[in-house]
């Protein structure tokens, strides 16, 4: 088999490509390089520069590389930007997915893995979020991921494609320093960026109904996430693969923002106190996954803890900052 990974040169995509290639899978990456970095990919993984919106390119890539399964990660993913530019998010995240699924169906490919997000749940009042928790996204990004799931399942039913949707919780860490997240959009690199510039970390709200008043989140090491993709593709490759599966990818353990900032201070040696700022609109007090279905259906559980996430991310941050 050959797997096409869209967004394969991105932070998560490169981890998935490396994990699959190291396990013996044949992989080809597609990336428009708006956020991807070619050097992240293993030398034996071909990279095609292009977009999932380009139907003719997709058809050529699927045919030329004899692709038999697709892992679709390419997407816009910044919540704030999605609020400001909702049409762009629908065009790229949903339109690109529709174009890709058309090409997949025409090529007769019968295995499809979709990168979804815990953002589909919105702000549920649940101690642990299961896959059956009602979905009520609160921003255009989350809406596009939920619409993407609907589209994937509908195409699967129409064309006999076995599908898996993985709902990621908060991704952090790096399997190797060169693969680290270079953007400053997620909480760990955001704190690193503040400390590097000699500024105090920020906490948005400390009056939530949680033990220390700050938001509680479920953090997943990107290397564990990559292994979850490998487990899902192997399920799709099984001879009896059929239907659709939707699975949370998290650790099932909550960490508060204040606990995380304190841990980052310990790892970096910069323990300056955080500055508390007003709440951000739409932040849920608690968002922690139930990870039981992933264990039962994929035989997968997270193996790495939050300290390992922070330590590995810090090594990558220092490498990319030239420190």
């Amino acid at each position: 088999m050959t797997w096409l990974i869209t967004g394969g040169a991105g932070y998560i995509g490169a981890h998935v490509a490396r994990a699959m290639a190291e396990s013996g899978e044949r992989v080809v990456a597609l990336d428009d390089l708006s956020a991807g970095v070619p050097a992240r990919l293993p030398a034996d993984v071909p990279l095609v520069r292009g977009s999932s919106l380009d139907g003719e390119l997709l058809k050529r890539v699927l045919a030329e590389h004899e692709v038999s399964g697709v892992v679709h990660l390419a997407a816009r993913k910044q919540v704030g930007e999605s609020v400001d530019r909702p049409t762009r998010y629908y065009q790229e995240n949903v339109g690109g997915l529709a174009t890709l699924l058309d090409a997949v169906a025409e090529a007769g490919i019968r295995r499809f893995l979709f990168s979804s997000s815990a953002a589909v749940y919105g702000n549920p009042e649940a101690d642990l979020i299961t896959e059956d928790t009602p979905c009520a996204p609160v921003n255009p990004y989350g809406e596009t991921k939920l619409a993407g799931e609907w589209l994937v399942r509908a195409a699967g039913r129409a064309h006999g494609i076995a599908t898996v949707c993985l709902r990621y919780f908060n991704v952090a860490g790096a399997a190797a320093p060169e693969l680290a997240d270079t953007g400053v959009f997620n909480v760990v690199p955001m704190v690193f960026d503040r400390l590097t510039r000699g500024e105090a970390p920020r906490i948005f709200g400390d009056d939530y109904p949680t033990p220390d008043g700050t938001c509680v989140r479920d953090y997943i090491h990107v290397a564990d996430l990559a292994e979850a993709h490998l487990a899902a593709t192997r399920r799709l490759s099984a001879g009896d693969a059929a239907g659709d599966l939707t699975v949370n990818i998290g650790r099932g353990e909550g960490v508060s923002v204040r606990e995380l900032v304190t841990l980052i201070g310990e790892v970096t040696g910069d323990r300056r106190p955080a500055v508390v700022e007003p709440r951000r609109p739409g932040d849920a007090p608690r968002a922690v996954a139930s990870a039981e279905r992933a264990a039962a259906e994929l035989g997968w559980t997270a193996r790495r803890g939050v300290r390992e996430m922070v330590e590995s991310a810090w090594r990558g941050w220092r490498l990319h900052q030239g420190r």
Side-chain angles (χ1 to χ4, degrees):
M1 287 189 62
T2 297
W3 289 90
L4 172 68
I5 303 177
T6 70
Y11 166 53
I12 295 174
H15 278 90
V16 174
R18 179 175 292 198
M20 293 183 66
E22 288 179 349
S23 73
E25 300 286 352
R26 289 184 295 180
V27 172
V28 57
L30 174 78
D31 202 298
D32 65 6
L33 301 185
S34 58
V37 179
R40 285 174 169 152
L41 287 166
D44 58 349
V45 172
L47 171 63
V48 178
R49 183 169 184 175
S51 167
S52 55
L53 288 162
D54 188 339
E56 292 305 313
L57 173 64
L58 292 173
K59 292 175 186 177
R60 289 198 302 273
V61 171
L62 296 177
E64 291 174 4
H65 292 273
E66 299 181 339
V67 171
S68 45
V70 173
V71 177
H72 182 51
L73 293 98
R76 308 296 304 181
K77 64 175 185 176
Q78 302 309 322
V79 169
E81 183 185 48
S82 79
V83 174
D84 295 333
R85 305 185 68 181
T87 55
R88 181 183 189 187
Y89 270 64
Y90 274 86
Q91 286 166 352
E92 296 197 24
N93 290 5
V94 182
L97 174 60
T99 302
L100 176 60
L101 285 167
D102 276 342
V104 164
E106 184 176 323
I109 294 168
R110 296 292 179 261
R111 302 166 182 86
F112 196 94
L113 190 160
F114 177 61
S115 164
S116 189
S117 167
V120 300
Y121 295 115
N123 297 334
E125 294 183 2
D127 186 51
L128 288 178
I129 298 171
T130 75
E131 291 83 357
D132 297 321
T133 298
C135 292
V138 295
N139 52 64
Y141 167 68
E143 292 167 4
T144 65
K145 285 299 184 181
L146 183 56
E149 289 189 11
W150 294 340
L151 182 54
V152 165
R153 296 185 194 109
R157 290 191 298 269
H159 303 292
I161 303 169
T163 63
V164 174
C165 297
L166 299 183
R167 292 174 174 169
Y168 311 166
F169 279 66
N170 298 69
V171 185
E178 63 272 18
L179 298 183
D181 190 359
T182 56
V184 187
F185 305 108
N186 298 320
V187 62
V188 173
M190 285 174 66
V191 175
F192 289 165
D193 182 58
R194 298 277 295 186
L195 296 178
T196 299
R197 291 188 283 114
E199 299 175 2
R202 294 184 294 178
I203 292 176
F204 295 99
D206 64 352
D207 58 350
Y208 286 93
T210 60
D212 66 14
T214 67
C215 293
V216 173
R217 295 290 182 266
D218 190 333
Y219 295 93
I220 178 74
H221 197 299
V222 67
D224 282 326
L225 178 62
E227 291 169 3
H229 283 75
L230 180 59
T233 57
R234 286 182 168 163
R235 176 189 171 102
L236 288 169
S237 298
D240 58 349
D244 67 271
L245 175 67
T246 300
V247 180
N248 288 337
I249 301 298
R251 296 173 60 246
E253 298 178 13
V255 177
S256 76
V257 174
R258 190 174 293 282
E259 288 172 331
L260 182 66
V261 170
T262 298
L263 177 58
I264 291 173
E266 293 174 4
V267 169
T268 63
D270 190 333
R271 294 178 170 85
R272 71 187 72 199
V275 174
V276 177
E277 298 190 1
R279 292 185 182 192
R280 296 181 301 187
D283 275 350
R286 178 181 172 87
V288 180
S290 166
E292 293 181 2
R293 183 178 294 181
E297 297 287 349
L298 300 179
W300 172 90
T301 55
R303 298 187 293 116
R304 300 163 179 87
V306 179
R307 179 174 288 274
E308 188 171 350
M309 295 179 215
V310 173
E311 289 175 343
S312 63
W314 180 236
R315 287 192 293 271
W317 179 265
R318 295 184 68 188
L319 174 68
H320 290 292
Q321 295 290 316
R323 292 173 177 265

